Amino acid sequence: MALRIAAMAALLVLCVSYHSAEATDYTVGDAQQWGFGVNYTTWASSKTFLVGDTLVFTYANGAHDVLEVQKSAYDSCATSNPTKQYTDGNTRISLTSSGTRYFICGITGHCSGGMKVAVTVSAGTSTTPSAPSPSTKTAPGPTSAGHMSQLKDVLVLLLGSLIMSLILA
């Protein structure tokens, strides 16, 4: 009986650690990246951001920047008092807590031209699969990448069942 409980506990730990390791990197604006011509409200609303995920802002260094701001500054495109400022052209921001975070471009006229995004981060650990690219991953829609994640989930469960069968035999 004790062996069965230990085996079940080990399987539970395996499953939990498997899922918690899958954080998603979201390239802001997807292929269009951080620049003009992207509806960032629509972009953000099509994603599910979870604690542990990362936002990746890719932009031409000097042409744009990223300011993290409070909601009032986001609403008015005020650039004078950002919480944080990034200018490196490849900004990675970890989503470490739940809540809404606000980002704008601080270059004059860019925020009012649409370069602003608000992301709502849900509590919990990221389990959203993603398709890799050379430096970042973007969240999949209903593509084969999502189906591959389901296949991985089934394989982990089958492996766990096999382990349980061997232990209990």
Side-chain angles (χ1 to χ4, degrees):
M1 182 65 150
L3 184 59
R4 287 183 182 177
I5 292 172
M8 291 173 72
L11 181 59
L12 179 62
V13 168
L14 173 70
C15 291
V16 169
S17 64
Y18 166 77
H19 283 291
S20 65
E22 291 190 43
T24 301
D25 290 354
Y26 289 97
T27 299
V28 178
D30 291 329
Q32 293 178 313
Q33 302 177 345
W34 185 236
F36 292 111
V38 178
N39 183 329
Y40 292 103
T41 301
T42 300
W43 175 85
S45 69
S46 71
K47 313 287 186 239
T48 301
F49 301 101
L50 299 174
V51 171
D53 290 344
T54 301
L55 296 178
V56 180
F57 291 83
T58 305
Y59 50 96
N61 196 357
H64 302 295
D65 63 8
V66 178
L67 305 181
E68 185 164 4
V69 296
Q70 299 296 317
K71 183 178 184 339
S72 58
Y74 173 84
D75 290 340
S76 65
C77 288
T79 60
S80 60
N81 194 20
T83 305
K84 294 179 183 165
Q85 181 173 8
Y86 306 91
T87 60
D88 62 358
N90 190 32
T91 301
R92 298 180 59 83
I93 299 173
S94 296
L95 303 176
T96 57
S97 61
S98 60
T100 303
R101 295 180 65 180
Y102 303 92
F103 303 94
I104 64 174
C105 182
I107 306 297
T108 303
H110 290 200
C111 176
S112 59
M115 288 187 65
K116 59 194 261 182
V117 63
V119 297
T120 300
V121 183
S122 298
T125 304
S126 176
T127 59
T128 305
S130 58
S133 68
S135 62
T136 62
K137 302 178 282 182
T138 56
T143 65
S144 61
H147 296 294
M148 288 303 293
S149 176
Q150 290 173 351
L151 179 60
K152 287 189 324 188
D153 290 344
V154 168
L155 289 175
V156 167
L157 290 174
L158 288 174
L159 178 62
S161 297
L162 178 62
I163 292 169
M164 290 290 292
S165 296
L166 292 173
I167 291 172
L168 299 176

